[in-house]
Amino acid sequence: MIDPTLIAKAVDLLRLGGLVALPTETVYGLGADAENELAVRRIFAAKGRPSSHPLIVHLADARLAASWARELPRSASQLADAFWPGPLTMVLPRSGRASDWITGGQDTVAVRVPAHPVMREVLTAFGGGIAAPSANRFGRVSATTAEHVRADLGDSVDLILDDGPCSIGIESTIVDLASDAPSVLRPGAISRAELERVLGREVPQRESGIRAPGLMQSHYAPIAGVELVTAGELRTRAEALLLSGRRVAVVAANPLDLPREAAAFSMPADVTDFARALYATFREIDRKGFDLILVVPPPDSGLGWAIRDRLIRAASPRR
Ligand code: TXA
Ligand code: MG
């Protein structure tokens, strides 16, 4: 647990327009007062993120969503009852409280009530909305430990609340409720099946909504190149790459029978554990200076859905 004086310090800093890195159950967030334009501009500067890319507003309580959205569709209340606090972000028609510097000038706002106890304490004491993107440099993998935040953002953050590794390790599911038909903009720990069970209708995943930079190609990517292979292809592909002089890392649940020069980063067989370990593994591989990562994606069940989504993005062409 975190020292209560640190919670108070975080809240003071937020009130003064500071930047505080906060643990959530998904990934660490880089938080600022969502109603303080200068503070929010500091978020974009610290991350190196274009300011047209909208931020998620984090709230202590589902009831607060009503003041950030100009209308709360029934679907939003149903999903809030089922999944908040938790790893679900809802995109809703914005109210006047959600300024252009939060929404990137769009007519919608993304809101989430996170479950992490430290984040909740800060949110409750602060009272208002905390704008928080993932606490990483723009375009890199999210931070799942305080060390990751320090490595990426260093002195540009006023305080990092360190509560150890994030329990989920992958960003929240984003569901768009601003148009007539709900859709998933980003897969996460809340599955399509769970959303569909609660809403009683299909919730397709939308592929082309470029509005969310998380949907841009080669987002969520380590510095090393990423290539996806099946377990059966792994050995042959690793051999070919090593022959061409590349430094190859292998990320797989069962990296058996590899050429000796390939560095194996063995992943847990359980998809939930795989998700928790993924970004830390990518960061370790980058620290060690590998050229290319061969990844065997986990099965599609549970968090496997979100993991495969991030891996496909990481493997897509870089600009
Ligand atoms: O798990 C999470 O969601 C973490 C933790 C800190 O809450 N946050 C996070 O924030 O991943 P960020 O900014 O790294 O990713 C949020 C995504 C971005 O792709 C952004 O474009 C999208 O949400 N987004 C935010 N507002 C939106 C809006 N109004 N319409 C569509 N997409 C939006
Ligand atoms: Mg992010």
Side-chain angles (χ1 to χ4, degrees):
M1 258 331 277
I2 271 184
D3 180 352
T5 60
L6 279 178
I7 304 272
K9 189 173 171 200
V11 172
D12 286 345
L13 281 166
L14 290 168
R15 294 211 170 108
L16 292 169
L19 290 193
V20 182
L22 298 156
T24 86
E25 70 275 30
T26 57
V27 298
Y28 274 76
L30 178 61
D33 177 355
E35 288 168 278
N36 180 332
E37 177 170 9
L38 284 178
V40 173
R41 297 224 177 275
R42 283 187 65 202
I43 293 181
F44 289 101
K47 278 185 64 94
R49 169 160 157 162
S51 58
S52 59
H53 291 199
L55 300 175
I56 298 173
V57 178
H58 297 72
L59 304 168
D61 192 294
R63 275 167 307 183
L64 295 170
S67 74
W68 291 85
R70 73 175 169 271
E71 52 187 279
L72 272 188
R74 203 171 78 94
S75 53
S77 322
Q78 290 172 314
L79 292 179
D81 286 346
F83 303 116
W84 276 355
L88 181 72
T89 297
M90 300 188 211
V91 173
L92 298 166
R94 72 163 165 182
S95 73
R97 200 170 181 185
S99 307
D100 283 345
W101 67 80
I102 291 292
T103 69
Q106 301 186 53
D107 197 33
T108 55
V109 62
V111 288
R112 170 160 108 88
V113 176
H116 194 289
V118 170
M119 180 66 164
R120 287 181 62 74
E121 277 188 56
V122 173
L123 280 165
T124 304
F126 180 65
I130 298 180
S134 51
N136 53 283
R137 291 285 302 172
F138 180 63
R140 297 265 82 94
V141 297
S142 296
T144 55
T145 68
E147 289 70 42
H148 298 165
V149 180
R150 231 168 262 128
D152 269 23
L153 303 174
D155 291 342
S156 46
V157 190
D158 298 309
L159 175 68
I160 302 175
L161 291 189
D162 182 353
D163 198 48
C166 300
S167 60
I168 295 175
I170 292 245
E171 306 81 358
S172 61
T173 302
I174 302 181
V175 61
D176 184 356
L177 301 175
S179 51
D180 293 339
S183 60
V184 170
L185 298 179
R186 182 176 71 183
I190 305 298
S191 69
R192 268 184 68 187
E194 286 174 289
L195 298 172
E196 289 173 347
R197 177 177 52 75
V198 170
L199 296 182
R201 61 183 293 175
E202 265 199 71
V203 186
Q205 187 179 341
R206 215 170 64 211
E207 282 302 338
S208 59
I210 284 303
R211 291 192 298 162
L215 296 170
M216 278 183 348
Q217 302 231 316
S218 100
H219 219 70
Y220 304 105
I223 294 161
V226 172
E227 193 177 310
L228 307 185
V229 290
T230 65
E233 293 162 347
L234 183 54
R235 186 187 169 87
T236 318
R237 189 63 188 134
E239 279 171 349
L241 288 163
L242 287 164
L243 267 178
S244 71
R246 313 257 254 149
R247 294 195 61 201
V248 178
V250 170
V251 170
N254 259 316
L256 295 172
D257 190 31
L258 282 178
R260 225 178 327 135
E261 313 77 47
F265 291 79
S266 188
M267 298 298 282
D270 179 81
V271 285
T272 306
D273 299 335
F274 191 117
R276 198 177 296 131
L278 181 65
Y279 290 155
T281 304
F282 277 172
R283 282 171 178 269
E284 183 186 349
I285 289 169
D286 278 343
R287 264 199 317 277
K288 294 183 170 160
F290 288 90
D291 302 316
L292 196 92
I293 314 174
L294 287 180
V295 188
V296 179
D300 202 4
S301 61
L303 267 169
W305 177 50
I307 298 169
R308 293 165 74 99
D309 168 81
R310 304 305 189 274
L311 290 176
I312 288 166
R313 295 180 202 292
S316 57
R318 312 271 171 95
R319 280 170 309 163

